[in-house]
Amino acid sequence: MTTCPNDHLQTRFARVIAHIDAHADRQLDLAELAGIAAFSPFHFHRQFAALFDITATRYIRLVRMRRAAHSLLFRKDIPITDIAFDAGYENAESFSRAFRKLHDQSPSDFRSHPDWDNWQAPYAKLQQVRRDTMTTTALNTVTIIDFPETRTACMDHIGSPARIGETIQRFIAWRKIHHLHPSKHATFNILWCNPEDTPADEFRMGLAVATDQEFSDEDNKKGFYSQTLPAGRYAKLRHIGSDQTLGDSALALYRDWLPQSGETPGDFPLIFQRIAFYPDVAEHEAITDILLPLA
């Protein structure tokens, strides 16, 4: 099969995307990015825009602003000034002007009253570029593991997947109160249904943290309940990269690996174990173990 010349360009510029994601917290110039692509600095910016339908400068700005938005929503202990500096702005005022232009809200208003249905809309182009360039998870890395019985505190998100961030906020706040840090207490998502064929108002996903703590009446009122993840044999596929391609990896596990393996799925939903979190790590370095229970 003849390789399309455009494939070589995609590969070279995919390295640029990964580099931007990994180093968006420092100054990046086009000459540096052109060198990573092994492309003429005189033509790099035009080729980038031709491939991705967005300029490199705009892409970098969106990467920084999306990470800032995540920090505002899910890292509430970080001051807005620090988030502004991390996003490359000299002061909170200039960051606030740029953020308001993108989200039609100030950073403080966004942090306290986000528009959950639409807050990711400004980053649609960014997400498409990442989906097109991030490496597909290799199915030859699937392993069979013995998973131990794990008791968790679980909170269900029920309703539109677009609003799951609202539930994540409450989940993070609760586990902070109970000192259940991710470095010591594993984090899981339980996929009670398939978002692709479930009406938005019926969508259900469990957010769970490993713990043996007992629940108070107040915990129950907040929506937490005890959920035990059953022990047994599981197929594990490590997904590295954006959540935008997490569903693709899970689909490949069912479509390509499972029929060839001779295995049969067990009587429990698919589980995502979150190992490394965005925005604590660059999005292309986020790690999620996809766990498929086996009979």
Side-chain angles (χ1 to χ4, degrees):
M1 178 183 294
T2 303
T3 302
C4 175
N6 197 48
D7 292 343
H8 294 299
L9 278 177
Q10 287 280 3
T11 300
R12 287 154 65 182
F13 278 76
R15 293 199 299 264
V16 175
I17 296 298
H19 184 81
I20 292 172
D21 285 354
H23 300 93
D25 57 345
R26 67 171 178 80
Q27 195 67 31
L28 295 168
D29 60 53
L30 295 185
E32 175 187 353
L33 300 179
I36 292 167
F39 207 80
S40 166
F42 299 108
H43 308 290
F44 167 81
H45 60 295
R46 292 187 176 88
Q47 186 61 68
F48 189 102
L51 282 173
F52 303 126
D53 194 31
I54 185 174
T55 67
T57 301
R58 175 68 174 168
Y59 181 86
I60 293 169
R61 189 178 301 122
L62 285 178
V63 169
R64 290 172 173 164
M65 200 60 84
R66 183 169 183 266
R67 187 175 62 187
H70 271 78
S71 295
L72 287 168
L73 293 177
F74 306 121
R75 302 293 184 270
K76 293 202 171 188
D77 54 325
I78 303 178
I80 291 178
T81 300
D82 291 352
I83 295 174
F85 290 153
D86 187 54
Y89 291 86
E90 294 183 356
N91 54 63
E93 289 74 21
S94 58
F95 169 68
S96 181
R97 286 194 298 271
F99 192 90
R100 183 186 291 275
K101 186 175 181 180
L102 196 62
H103 284 277
D104 200 29
Q105 284 183 288
S106 70
S108 58
D109 287 344
F110 177 85
R111 173 170 264 181
S112 57
H113 299 99
D115 178 0
W116 287 112
D117 289 316
N118 301 299
W119 77 273
Q120 297 221 49
Y123 308 105
K125 174 56 69 175
L126 178 67
Q127 299 292 57
Q128 184 59 53
V129 172
R130 284 176 165 161
R131 186 160 194 163
D132 290 345
T133 58
M134 286 186 173
T135 305
T136 303
T137 301
L139 287 175
N140 59 9
T141 61
V142 176
T143 57
I144 306 295
I145 64 169
D146 289 319
F147 185 81
E149 181 176 279
T150 304
R151 185 169 179 260
T152 74
C154 187
M155 167 187 273
D156 282 340
H157 171 78
I158 301 175
S160 171
R163 299 186 66 90
I164 195 169
E166 192 173 13
T167 307
I168 292 173
Q169 269 193 346
R170 298 198 303 270
F171 177 75
I172 291 174
W174 183 87
R175 69 184 295 171
K176 281 186 175 180
I177 291 172
H178 292 269
H179 308 291
L180 301 173
H181 193 276
S183 63
K184 297 181 180 179
H185 298 268
T187 304
F188 302 94
N189 296 151
I190 305 171
L191 280 69
W192 297 112
C193 62
N194 182 358
E196 301 299 326
D197 57 15
T198 303
D201 59 349
E202 298 177 12
F203 174 74
R204 178 188 175 201
M205 176 183 283
L207 311 178
V209 54
T211 179
D212 291 324
Q213 288 189 14
E214 297 298 326
F215 297 99
S216 67
D217 290 341
E218 186 64 27
D219 295 331
N220 294 142
K221 289 178 183 178
K222 290 180 178 179
F224 282 89
Y225 63 93
S226 179
Q227 175 64 59
T228 298
L229 307 182
R233 295 170 63 252
Y234 285 69
K236 183 181 84 170
L237 174 62
R238 172 153 291 189
H239 173 90
I240 301 177
S242 170
D243 275 10
Q244 295 297 306
T245 55
L246 186 55
D248 297 336
S249 294
L251 176 62
L253 184 64
Y254 284 100
R255 182 192 61 214
D256 302 326
W257 179 83
L258 189 61
Q260 298 176 10
S261 69
E263 298 285 352
T264 302
D267 189 25
F268 196 79
L270 195 69
I271 300 169
F272 293 160
Q273 182 173 357
R274 303 292 189 165
I275 307 298
F277 299 81
Y278 173 80
D280 298 336
V281 299
E283 191 162 15
H284 77 287
E285 295 175 338
I287 300 174
T288 302
D289 284 342
I290 303 173
L291 302 175
L292 174 62
L294 301 174

